[in-house]
Each structure stands twice: as C-alpha cells, then as structure tokens.
Amino acid sequence: MFLVTGGAGFIGSNVVAALNDAGRSDVAVCDLLGQDGKWRNLAKRQLADVVPPAELGDWLKGRRLTAVIHLGAISETTATDGDLVIETNFRLSMRLLDWCTANATPFIYASSAATYGDGEQGFDDDASVEALRRLRPMNLYGWSKNLFDLAVAERAAKGEPLPPQWAGLKFFNVFGPNEYHKGPMMSVLARRFDDIKAGRVVQLFKSHREGIADGDQRRDFIYIDDVVRVMMWLIATPRVSGLFNVGTGKARSFKDLIVSAYGALGLEPNIQYVDMPEQIRGSYQYFTQSGVDRLGRAGYNGGFTRLEDAVGAYVKGFLDRADRYR
C-alpha cells in the first residue's frame, strides 16, 4: 500500500490520480477533508483508506507500506501560528522519517522553494548542511520546511540511519487542476480565469523596481503533470535519494502566464497594472528560477512542458469545463 499524506490537497490528489492510473488502488490518503469541498479532489479516485492525521500514528502500527509520499503540511506562506506549523510541518515529518527508517520504507517528501527566501543565496538545491544553514526563508512556512531539510541532511552527512530511499522535493510555482480549494494561495491563473473568460479586466502588479517592466516579475511556473511525472519516476527509481528542485529551470513572467490563457481561449488580452500594496513591496520576490541540473544528473530526463502548452492544457482540459476536477 502507498500512503499519501495531504492526499486530498492539490499536489497530493494529482499523485493519487497518477497511482490509480498506473493500476494502483491500494492507496491510503491521510488528510482532513473539512467542509469546503476538498473531497471533490478525490471524487474520481479509488482509495484503500482515508486516515485523519490525528490517527496516523496508530494506523501505522504493524503496517508494511510500499512508500510514504509525504505532502501534508500547512502550506500558507501567510501562516502565523508558529507552534501549529512546527507540529504539522516539522515534528510530524520527523515522526514519519523515523517510521520509514525503522520500517525500511521509501520516503518522498515535499520541501519548498520558499526555503530560498529572497533568492540572495541563489536557487541551487545543494543538500549540504552548510548550504542549507545559509538559507534565510522569508516566512514561517519556508522556515519549517528548511528545518526539516536540515534534519535529514545532517543525518545523511553523519551516515546515520535513513530510509532506503529518501527524496525531498523543492516545488516551485506549481499550477494545475485540483488547486481550487486553496483560495488566495491558488495560482493567479486559476484565480483570474473567470475574469479572463468573461472579458473582465485582469489586474497584475506594477513593477516597483528599476529595469523591470510592469507584469514582468518572473517565477518558475511548473505544470502539475510535470511535478507528478518527477514523483512517479522517483517511485520507480528507488536507487535515487537526495534533495531536488522541481521546476522547469526557466523563469517566465506573470504577464506571459495570463497572456497564454487569453491565447488558449482565442481572446485579446485585457490587463491592467495596479500598484503593489506597500506592506509587501519590501519582501516581494521579482525572480525565482530553479536549478534543475541535480535532478538531471540523478537520471531524470522527462522534460518539462512549455508554459504556453501547459496553460493551454489546463484551460482547455479543466478550467474551461463544467467539471474542473481531475
């Protein structure tokens, strides 16, 4: 059996879909479904169990698992409850790491590009303790993720016991189906699609930095199918362990993203640039771009979808349909 924590969430539900599509119905999800319709992310799936996080410790007792895919976390970059974030993102991760080590179970987990902070230290997925200690995440979420990366890296550096396979994945700006429950944390494409389709103006931030045009703030946007492909490759390649960036390696602008959506619908862009709120100007990232060489050196050659093609697949396959769920 596979265990996917956070399996009802955005990335998790897409991983569950891929496992089902690969013929695996022996998939247990650990998540909270709540009352906001998150269950719809799993409505087309076959599951072996749905485990509340509070019961996970007891559920694991005496079990043998094919792999643990640990994606469950408080992922809001605006989270402020330090105790809750540490308990959820760090301590639970440590317990799962220890369980997988003791039970010789592959462990694939979500880190985050938020660990890089403002990017001053670059975006190199160097898994050494020294490199990870130099990172300065800008929010509580990013700090909690880097704290866990450090714990794993230190064990690896000291030759201490670890699972037979362990892989931490630093996701960049992932977008795609089943992100709709995330509210303000959805991709700007998902948030603005109804405006695009209806012909209403779409607002993007002006630039407040010399030499960067309005709307030309850049991110490493990566389509969810590419992310899942990396994870399925890792599951099928147990010899590979390490900490890896998961991005395309090519930064594109927010304007490119939105213009691509208009293009997928055959519409002319209708974009208005507005001032960035004062309170976020000092901490706003103008550029993120993953280094993906380490993943390539590990043997991954699945490639990444061009932004325009990814947006087209998302718009035509999901956003512009009555049923937007995978």
Side-chain angles (χ1 to χ4, degrees):
M1 185 185 295
F2 285 91
L3 172 65
V4 183
T5 73
F10 170 35
I11 297 176
S13 64
N14 279 277
V15 171
V16 172
L19 289 169
N20 274 184
D21 290 346
R24 301 298 299 252
S25 58
D26 54 343
V27 181
V29 163
C30 176
D31 211 332
L32 292 171
L33 299 181
Q35 300 179 28
D36 61 356
K38 195 163 73 167
W39 67 273
R40 295 186 183 279
N41 287 344
L42 294 173
K44 301 173 185 177
R45 302 296 132 226
Q46 185 174 358
L47 303 172
D49 205 349
V50 179
V51 186
E55 299 177 18
L56 183 59
D58 288 337
W59 186 88
L60 284 169
K61 290 176 181 176
R63 288 191 184 269
R64 303 296 298 175
L65 297 176
T66 305
V68 171
I69 303 166
H70 179 40
L71 305 172
I74 294 173
S75 59
E76 289 81 2
T77 56
T78 55
T80 57
D81 188 334
D83 297 314
L84 182 61
V85 168
I86 284 298
E87 176 59 33
T88 305
N89 293 5
F90 178 68
R91 298 192 70 219
L92 174 59
S93 299
M94 292 297 293
R95 291 194 291 273
L96 282 172
L97 176 68
D98 289 341
W99 188 92
C100 287
T101 301
N103 291 275
T105 303
F107 180 64
I108 298 169
Y109 74 92
S111 179
S112 173
T115 58
Y116 292 118
D118 64 4
E120 185 178 334
Q121 300 290 332
F123 301 98
D124 179 23
D125 47 1
D126 185 340
S128 69
V129 173
E130 294 76 16
L132 294 173
R133 282 177 177 167
R134 287 195 296 269
L135 297 181
R136 293 293 179 266
M138 299 171 71
N139 52 56
L140 179 58
Y141 164 67
W143 173 64
S144 70
K145 288 294 186 180
N146 196 52
L147 200 61
F148 184 65
D149 288 342
L150 267 165
V152 178
E154 186 152 39
R155 290 190 186 188
K158 291 180 177 178
E160 295 177 354
L162 282 168
Q165 179 189 29
W166 62 272
L169 305 178
K170 294 197 173 195
F171 300 123
F172 276 68
N173 286 68
V174 188
F175 67 98
N178 294 12
E179 61 173 318
Y180 320 118
H181 64 284
K182 292 169 66 70
M185 299 302 293
M186 278 192 295
S187 69
V188 66
L189 173 55
R191 292 201 312 272
R192 298 291 178 254
F193 180 76
D194 289 340
D195 291 332
I196 294 170
K197 180 73 183 290
R200 294 188 290 267
V201 67
V202 172
Q203 294 184 333
L204 296 177
F205 285 145
K206 290 181 180 178
S207 171
H208 296 272
R209 184 171 293 181
E210 189 73 27
I212 297 177
D214 294 340
D216 199 39
Q217 302 93 331
R218 293 176 177 254
R219 295 287 184 274
D220 192 333
F221 298 108
I222 181 168
Y223 193 44
I224 185 63
D225 290 14
D226 294 341
V227 168
V228 171
R229 195 176 300 117
V230 169
M231 298 178 74
M232 294 298 285
W233 173 77
L234 282 166
I235 290 168
T237 318
R239 62 175 174 77
V240 173
S241 291
L243 186 63
F244 302 103
N245 283 337
V246 180
T248 66
K250 295 180 180 178
R252 299 291 300 274
S253 71
F254 283 98
K255 180 180 178 181
D256 290 340
L257 182 75
I258 297 302
V259 167
S260 296
Y262 279 107
L265 292 169
L267 300 174
E268 287 296 317
N270 183 14
I271 299 172
Q272 177 186 47
Y273 297 101
V274 298
D275 285 331
M276 189 181 298
E278 289 277 359
Q279 61 266 31
I280 69 170
R281 287 187 197 179
S283 60
Y284 187 82
Q285 284 183 298
Y286 274 74
F287 181 86
T288 65
Q289 179 171 284
S290 64
V292 293
D293 292 348
R294 200 175 304 276
L295 192 59
R297 290 197 299 272
Y300 183 72
N301 60 4
F304 301 101
T305 309
R306 192 174 68 106
L307 180 67
E308 288 78 6
D309 296 332
V311 170
Y314 190 15
V315 167
K316 295 173 184 176
F318 299 96
L319 290 176
D320 198 29
R321 297 194 173 194
D323 180 0
R324 294 181 172 182
Y325 290 87
R326 168 159 278 154

